[in-house]
Amino acid sequence: MKLDIRLPLGLLFVVFGLLLGGFGLAGNQAIYDRSLGINVNLWWGVVMLAFGLVMILMGRRGARLAENSSESPADEVVVRATSKH
């Protein structure tokens, strides 16, 4: 079973990062007076987008490594258990 949680999690963070960053770009700049003029939505959108992209890349890398391996660890345990007899 090749289920990797990093792919849907990365996609979720990319979507939310794009939404939050877009709101930060298109929103009213007057709401950022409380945060010393820092566009918090834009910066956290960028952080979430970067984290999501890293998760997607790590998930794809893990899937590629799983495809390249010839045996799974479970198969290795079965082989070891049967070879001791």
Side-chain angles (χ1 to χ4, degrees), residues 8-81:
L9 187 65
L11 182 62
L12 179 83
F13 272 94
V14 165
V15 169
F16 284 147
L18 287 173
L19 287 172
L20 192 60
F23 179 75
L25 286 174
N28 186 2
Q29 298 300 319
I31 63 174
Y32 302 114
D33 290 339
R34 288 180 155 183
S35 62
L36 304 175
I38 299 170
N39 192 339
V40 178
N41 290 327
L42 176 64
W43 286 108
W44 276 107
V46 169
V47 169
M48 290 176 72
L49 179 66
F51 179 74
L53 290 174
V54 167
M55 294 302 282
I56 289 173
L57 291 174
M58 287 175 58
R60 291 186 68 198
R61 181 177 155 246
R64 187 177 60 232
L65 291 175
E67 288 176 3
N68 290 340
S69 67
S70 61
E71 295 183 345
S72 69
D75 293 338
E76 192 174 311
V77 171
V78 171
V79 171
R80 285 184 190 165

